[in-house]
Amino acid sequence: MIPVRRFDAIVVGAGGAGMRAALELARANLRVAVLSKVFPTRSHTVAAQGGIAAPLANSTEDNWHWHMYDTVKGSDYLGDQDAIEYMCRRAVEVVVELEHMGMPFDRLENGKIYQRPFGGHTQSYGSAKMAMRACAAADRTGHAMLHTLYQQNVRANTQFFVEWMALDLIRDPQDGAVVGVTALEMETGELHVLQGKAVLLATGGSGRMFFSSTNAFINTGDGLGMAARAGLPLEDMEFYQFHPTGVYGAGVLITEGVRGEGGYLLNKDGERFMERYAPNAKDLASRDVVSRAMTTEIKEGRGAGPHADHVLLKLDHLGPEIINQRLPGIREISIKFANVDPVREPIPVVPTAHYQMGGIPANYLGQVVAPEGASKEAIVPGLYAAGECSCVSVHGGNRLGCNSLLDLVVFGRSSGEQMAKDIRALPRPQRNLPKDAGEQTRARLARLDGATSGERVAEVLNDLRRTMQAHCGVFRFPDDLAEGVRKMKAIAERAGRTFIADKSKVFNTARIEALELDNLVEAATAVVVSAEARKESRGAQARSDFPERDDQSWMKHTLWFKEGNRLDYKPVHLKPLSVDTIEPKARTY
Amino acid sequence: MKLSIYRYDPDKDARPYMQDYEVKLEPSDRMLLDALVKAKAQDDTLAFRRSCREGVCGSDAFNINGKNQLACITKLADLPEHVSVRPLPGLPVIRDLIVDMTQFFKQYHSIKPYVINNDPPPERERLQSPEEREELNGLYECILCACCSTACPSFWWNPDKFVGPAGLLQAYRFLADSRDQAASERLDNLEDPYRLFRCHTIMNCVDVCPKGLNPTKAINNIKEMLVKRAV
C-alpha cells in the first residue's frame, strides 16, 4: 500500500505563485501541504531580475487602463482581456501588499517605491512616452520577492514538504475531479499519496527544453507533464518567449532593466539598430520584436564577434554609480559569465529561451478549465493552476517584462482565495480515493527501477534540447517544424526506454532526472506540434511561410492533448470585465 | 580535468570514499558545475543539488579544494588541474554531496526572518528613505547557501545553539529595517552566551561568502546595539 496523507489543500511548487497561494490558504486556517522539489528559496522565481509591473505612478503618470492596453497589445491580441483587466486592476494592491510584507524595494527620494521603464510599458495607450511601471529591488526583484514570500510563510507556519517531487494527479474516474497527487520523497525514495480537496499546480516553466535557456535545471514542466498525463490539455504552448539578452554562450539572463536604465543594443558596426525596427520604443519594444530584430541583424551578417553570432549590449555610458546601485547583479553576472565588466565594455548577448506563455488552461480565479461536452471551458473540479505553468491567459502570444512576477502574486492570491472558498463549500468528509490511486506512478517507477539496459537519460535530454533549439526558435520554418514534430515523436519513444544505473532509494537524482524528462517530453511535444499547426505569425510565433498575423482564422487559443497529439481550439476572451474591448490593430513600437 | 568527489550512499556504502572522475572539457564549459554535470552524465549515481546555475538559488554549495563555494560560479580557469569536491562540512551527509540542512534552516527560522510591524497597514506603501533602504544592502542579498555557517567552527561545535553567520546576518537585516518594530524582542532573542556570542570573529564567513556579504560586520552591529541598549 502506498501511504496516504490527507489535507484540505495541496500546493505543488513553492515559487512565487505557490507561496502566495499557500499564504492565502494558511491564513484561512486550512490544512495545507506545499510540495517542492527544491527548498522554497531555490525556486526559479529567485532569478527574476528587473521588476514587477504595477501602475503606482510614483515617477510618471500611469494607471491600470494603460497597463492593460500595453499587456493586450504586447500579447499580440491573444491574451484574454477579462483576465488582463483583472490582473492590471489588482497590480497596485498586490505590490503594496508585498511591500507591507517587508519586500526590500528600492526607494525614491520621497520614500516611495522606485520604478523604472521597461519594454512595452507606455503612457496614454501606446504613445512614444514610456511609463515607469517596473517596481524594482535593484536587479534582484525576484530574489527579494521570493524570500519575502517564504518569510511570510514561515510566519504563517505553512507546512512545507521540501524535496518532495509531485509525479501524477489522481482523478476520480466518476467525474474527473482531482482528489490528490502522488509524490516522491526524494531523501527516502518513498512514494506517497497526498489527498486533498483542492490541488494547485504552481510548478513553473519548462525552459530546459531548449539548448540555450535562461532557465534553471529544475524548470522541466512538471505540472504540464502531470496535467497532460491526466488527460488535460495544454494551451498556447507554441508561444515560447526568447528573451533578447541572454549572455552569449552561457544563456544567463541579463535583465531588460539594463535597457530600462538607458542601455542599448549595437550591431558589429556600432549601430543602434533598434532605431530601424522600432522607431518609437527602440530598445524598449516588446521582447518578441527585439529578439527578431537581433536575429535578423545576425542573419544578415551584422553580428559582432569573430563568428558574427551575437550583438552587444552597451551600458558603460550609464556610469559606475548607476550600474552599481541599480544593476549590481548584472555587473556580477557579466564579469563571471562573459568576462566583461559592463562599466567599461558592452556585454555580448543573444536571444535566449526564457518564458512559456502557454500552459495549463485556467481562468483568472485559478480554476483549471478544459473542453467537456458543449463547453470549451468546463471547470475541472479540485484542480487549480497559477504562475508560469498556467495559461490564464494574460500573456497571450508574448509576455511583457515584469508581468510575470505580477502574474505570480495576482493569480497565486486569487487561486488561494478560490480554493479556500471551494473547500468550505464541499461536504465535510473527503471523497474516497479511486482504488487504483497511485498505480500509474508506481508503474512508471517500476519501469525505471527494473530497466537493466537502455539509453542514458542525459543523451535523450540533450537530443530533445537540440531538437527544440534547431526546430522551434525565434524564426520558424515549415520544413523545420514538420521535421521537429517527427523528431519529438522519436524522442518521446526513446524517453520511454531509458535506463538509470542508480537504483538506490536514497536521494536518487538519476531517477528524478528521468521523471523530469517525461515531463519535458510532454511540454516540448506540445510546443512543436502546436507551432507546426498554427499557420500565422503572432507574438513569439514567427513563421517564414505565414509572416502576417491572421485574426480571421487564428485569433484563437490552441489546446494540445497528449492522446494522439490531438489539437483543439477555443476563442479568445475579447470582452474585459468592465471596460470596452481593446480592438486588434497592427502592432508597431 | 580530474575530479575527486566525495561519495557515500547509505543504501550500499559502509563508509564514504573519494572517487576520481576524468572529465573532458569543452570550450563551453566554464564553471565547476559544468564539469560536475559532465561527470554525472558518465555516472548517474553521482548525487548533488543544483538549480539556477548562476549563483542566485544557493543549491550547489560544496567544499571545493578545501573552501566552501558555489560550483556554478567557480570558474574552471581559476582551479588547478586536480579538484576535490566534498559536501559542506559540519552537516550530516545524506548522500554524496547532499547534506541535511535542517539545522541550518532551523537557526534561520529562529531569528523570526520577517518584518514585524503592528501598525495597521496604510493604503499605499510604507515610506522608507533611500538612506534607510541603503541599510539593507549587503544583508538582504543572502541566498541561504550555507557556505558561511558551515565554514564557522563555532557553528560546527554548536549548530543547535549558535545561530551562525547566515542566521545572524538575517537577524541584522530585520534589525536594520526602518519598517520593523521588534528590535527589542529581536535583541532579547539573541542576548545569550551561545546564540550570538559564540561568534569569535574568525571571519571565515566573510572569506567564503559567494555573494561578497559580511556577516561578521552584521554580528558586530548587533553586539553594538546590545551595548547601546544596556547603557
Side-chain angles (χ1 to χ4, degrees):
Chain A
M1 266 301 280
I2 307 172
V4 178
R5 296 177 190 228
R6 290 185 180 82
F7 299 90
D8 292 320
I10 296 164
V11 175
V12 183
M19 287 211 284
R20 184 61 191 82
L23 210 50
E24 213 56 45
L25 292 160
R27 286 173 181 169
N29 283 318
L30 294 167
R31 296 194 325 124
V32 192
V34 182
L35 276 67
S36 176
K37 63 179 179 175
V38 294
F39 184 77
T41 63
R42 321 267 189 243
S43 306
H44 196 54
T45 303
V46 80
Q49 297 175 351
I52 175 167
L56 298 176
N58 286 351
S59 289
T60 55
E61 208 185 316
D62 204 3
N63 59 62
W64 69 261
H65 296 274
W66 296 351
H67 185 189
M68 179 179 171
Y69 176 87
D70 289 341
T71 304
V72 172
K73 177 181 172 186
S75 81
D76 217 348
Y77 304 93
L78 191 69
D80 285 336
Q81 297 195 14
D82 52 349
I84 294 174
E85 177 180 338
Y86 183 88
M87 178 176 82
C88 296
R89 286 182 76 163
R90 269 200 160 185
V92 168
E93 187 186 343
V94 294
V95 167
V96 166
E97 188 182 63
L98 284 169
E99 192 284 324
H100 292 162
M101 289 179 191
M103 184 164 159
F105 285 108
D106 286 4
R107 300 293 174 150
L108 296 163
E109 278 308 320
N110 63 12
K112 293 183 178 178
I113 293 172
Y114 169 76
Q115 299 188 276
R116 59 165 63 112
F118 236 76
H121 297 193
T122 71
Q123 298 187 54
S124 317
Y125 308 100
S127 79
K129 260 167 83 183
M130 302 305 286
M132 292 168 86
R133 188 180 293 148
C135 312
D139 53 3
R140 306 185 178 99
T141 312
H143 171 282
M145 186 175 114
L146 187 69
H147 280 252
T148 301
L149 287 171
Y150 177 66
Q151 291 157 359
Q152 290 300 312
N153 274 287
V154 169
R155 187 177 200 177
N157 265 319
T158 301
Q159 191 179 2
F160 286 103
F161 289 76
V162 174
E163 292 173 336
W164 282 51
M165 182 180 175
L167 299 180
D168 284 295
L169 292 171
I170 301 169
R171 299 183 77 180
D172 189 326
Q174 297 289 321
D175 59 354
V178 171
V179 293
V181 299
T182 53
L184 187 66
E185 182 181 8
M186 290 156 69
E187 184 175 334
T188 63
E190 293 294 330
L191 180 64
H192 297 260
V193 165
L194 282 82
Q195 190 182 353
K197 299 172 183 172
V199 174
L200 174 69
L201 294 175
T203 56
S206 58
R208 295 303 291 185
M209 75 171 68
F210 290 97
F211 192 76
S212 172
S213 167
T214 64
N215 280 210
F217 279 96
I218 56 172
N219 290 11
T220 52
D222 297 341
L224 306 176
M226 292 170 75
R229 282 190 297 276
L232 295 167
L234 302 180
E235 179 177 344
D236 289 344
M237 288 294 288
E238 62 271 44
F239 297 99
Y240 209 100
Q241 179 167 82
F242 290 80
H243 194 290
T245 55
V247 172
Y248 170 67
V252 177
L253 174 69
I254 298 289
T255 176
E256 194 167 290
V258 169
R259 284 169 283 140
E261 295 288 348
Y264 49 82
L265 296 163
L266 298 174
N267 62 19
K268 73 162 185 192
D269 305 321
E271 183 203 0
R272 191 175 173 184
F273 60 86
M274 278 314 298
E275 288 175 342
R276 272 189 279 122
Y277 296 87
N280 291 320
K282 300 186 180 80
D283 297 83
L284 287 178
S286 266
R287 287 179 181 171
D288 57 333
V289 174
V290 180
S291 283
R292 277 195 291 275
M294 292 167 69
T295 308
T296 304
E297 288 299 297
I298 293 167
K299 222 186 306 191
E300 292 178 358
R302 292 186 295 278
H307 305 290
D309 56 356
H310 58 271
V311 302
L312 299 168
L313 177 60
K314 175 180 157 65
L315 63 157
D316 59 292
H317 57 283
L318 302 179
E321 212 164 289
I322 291 286
I323 291 174
N324 289 331
Q325 188 189 356
R326 302 292 183 206
L327 305 164
I330 288 311
R331 188 172 182 198
E332 204 180 311
I333 284 171
S334 306
I335 292 171
K336 289 208 165 96
F337 287 92
N339 288 320
V340 152
D341 186 346
V343 165
R344 285 186 290 274
E345 290 169 274
I347 311 170
V349 291
V350 282
T352 305
H354 181 58
Y355 185 89
Q356 153 201 305
M357 269 73 72
I360 303 157
N363 62 25
Y364 59 82
L365 302 174
Q367 297 163 310
V368 171
V369 291
E372 195 193 292
S375 172
K376 292 277 190 191
E377 299 190 323
I379 289 169
V380 178
L383 188 63
Y384 304 77
E388 190 171 341
C389 78
S390 71
C391 183
V392 176
S393 148
V394 283
H395 309 304
N398 169 69
R399 175 174 69 75
L400 290 190
C402 300
N403 269 353
S404 55
L405 291 188
L406 180 62
D407 167 349
L408 303 186
V409 281
V410 167
F411 299 112
R413 180 172 149 180
S414 69
S415 54
E417 288 168 349
Q418 189 61 34
M419 288 165 82
K421 207 167 130 190
D422 291 348
I423 290 167
R424 292 236 165 75
L426 286 172
R428 256 244 126 316
Q430 293 204 339
R431 296 175 180 231
N432 291 325
L433 285 170
K435 283 212 169 51
D436 62 349
E439 279 315 311
Q440 180 191 15
T441 310
R442 185 148 46 192
R444 291 173 64 206
L445 293 175
R447 186 202 70 75
L448 271 177
D449 292 341
T452 51
S453 67
E455 220 179 335
R456 294 286 181 155
V457 172
E459 282 168 26
V460 181
L461 175 63
N462 271 335
D463 283 352
L464 183 153
R465 295 173 66 206
R466 287 184 193 282
T467 299
M468 292 305 291
Q469 190 76 28
H471 294 271
C472 227
V474 173
F475 285 103
R476 295 170 177 179
F477 305 89
D479 299 349
D480 277 358
L481 286 168
E483 201 191 332
V485 170
R486 278 195 298 278
K487 281 188 174 171
M488 268 312 302
K489 256 183 204 156
I491 286 167
E493 278 165 26
R494 287 165 60 197
R497 296 193 301 262
T498 50
F499 159 76
I500 53 172
D502 195 345
K503 304 293 183 192
S504 172
K505 292 286 273 179
V506 181
F507 226 115
N508 187 329
T509 50
R511 183 186 288 144
I512 298 295
E513 289 181 13
L515 295 164
E516 289 175 333
L517 175 65
D518 288 347
N519 295 327
L520 266 184
V521 163
E522 305 305 345
T525 305
V527 170
V528 71
V529 169
S530 305
E532 202 267 336
R534 182 177 283 271
K535 306 285 192 285
E536 67 158 350
S537 291
R538 180 189 298 270
Q541 157 105 337
R543 284 186 68 130
S544 64
D545 49 345
F546 297 96
E548 302 299 324
R549 193 176 77 204
D550 177 0
D551 289 335
Q552 199 71 37
S553 314
W554 287 101
M555 200 202 262
K556 56 187 181 186
H557 296 295
T558 307
L559 294 173
W560 170 87
F561 293 83
K562 172 180 165 63
E563 186 78 62
N565 268 327
R566 182 166 64 87
L567 292 173
D568 194 357
Y569 293 90
K570 67 176 186 182
V572 175
H573 297 195
L574 290 174
K575 205 173 151 35
L577 298 171
S578 71
V579 293
D580 291 338
T581 297
I582 297 167
E583 296 293 342
K585 56 181 179 188
R587 184 163 159 261
T588 54
Y589 283 95
Chain B
M1 78 181 291
K2 200 164 150 193
L3 288 168
S4 284
I5 304 178
Y6 178 101
R7 301 298 312 268
Y8 175 61
D9 176 359
D11 234 14
K12 60 180 179 63
D13 302 326
R15 62 182 66 82
Y17 59 98
M18 297 299 286
Q19 184 175 344
D20 287 348
Y21 291 88
E22 194 62 49
V23 178
K24 229 181 114 196
L25 296 176
E26 285 160 53
S28 57
D29 297 320
R30 287 150 215 253
M31 302 293 176
L32 178 61
L33 180 61
D34 300 325
L36 287 172
V37 168
K38 283 247 156 86
K40 187 170 174 59
Q42 289 171 24
D43 171 8
D44 70 19
T45 69
L46 175 63
F48 54 90
R49 295 184 177 108
R50 83 285 179 266
S51 184
C52 74
R53 61 84 174 90
E54 58 188 60
V56 293
C57 81
S59 297
D60 64 347
F62 309 125
N63 186 269
I64 300 160
N65 281 349
K67 189 177 172 187
N68 294 350
Q69 300 173 70
L70 298 178
C72 62
I73 52 173
T74 297
K75 284 187 182 172
L76 288 166
D78 296 344
L79 290 170
E81 173 62 15
H82 188 142
V83 177
S84 77
V85 188
R86 296 165 185 272
L88 290 176
L91 295 175
V93 173
I94 296 173
R95 177 177 172 179
D96 297 346
L97 299 175
I98 297 172
V99 291
D100 181 349
M101 296 182 73
T102 309
Q103 197 62 255
F104 172 80
F105 289 124
K106 215 168 172 176
Q107 289 298 358
Y108 172 61
H109 296 159
S110 80
I111 59 100
K112 298 197 174 173
Y114 39 82
V115 165
I116 298 174
N117 184 319
N118 294 319
D119 293 343
E123 199 160 306
R124 289 291 298 251
E125 64 261 52
R126 294 184 204 281
L127 300 182
Q128 187 172 48
S129 71
E131 294 72 31
E132 287 168 336
R133 169 58 184 78
E134 174 87 30
E135 294 294 318
L136 307 182
N137 284 349
L139 305 172
Y140 82 95
E141 302 93 323
C142 173
I143 58 172
L144 301 174
C145 65
C147 278
C148 60
S149 292
T150 62
C152 173
S154 296
F155 191 76
W156 295 339
W157 305 139
N158 298 106
D160 52 337
K161 294 187 196 145
F162 174 50
V163 172
L168 289 169
L169 184 83
Q170 289 315 296
Y172 185 63
R173 177 250 175 274
F174 292 98
L175 282 165
D177 196 318
S178 62
R179 300 167 294 178
D180 190 83
Q181 298 174 328
S184 94
E185 182 191 326
R186 293 183 189 283
L187 292 174
D188 290 347
N189 175 293
L190 296 172
E191 196 163 24
D192 170 285
Y194 282 95
R195 285 181 63 71
L196 172 70
F197 288 102
R198 279 285 123 168
C199 169
H200 298 308
T201 333
I202 303 168
M203 296 181 71
N204 280 2
C205 53
V206 183
D207 188 41
V208 299
C209 178
K211 304 309 283 183
L213 310 179
N214 189 334
T216 305
K217 192 170 149 208
I219 292 168
N220 284 338
N221 288 341
I222 300 175
K223 287 180 180 167
E224 240 172 69
M225 288 177 90
L226 279 167
V227 172
K228 266 193 200 143
R229 181 167 85 149
V231 292

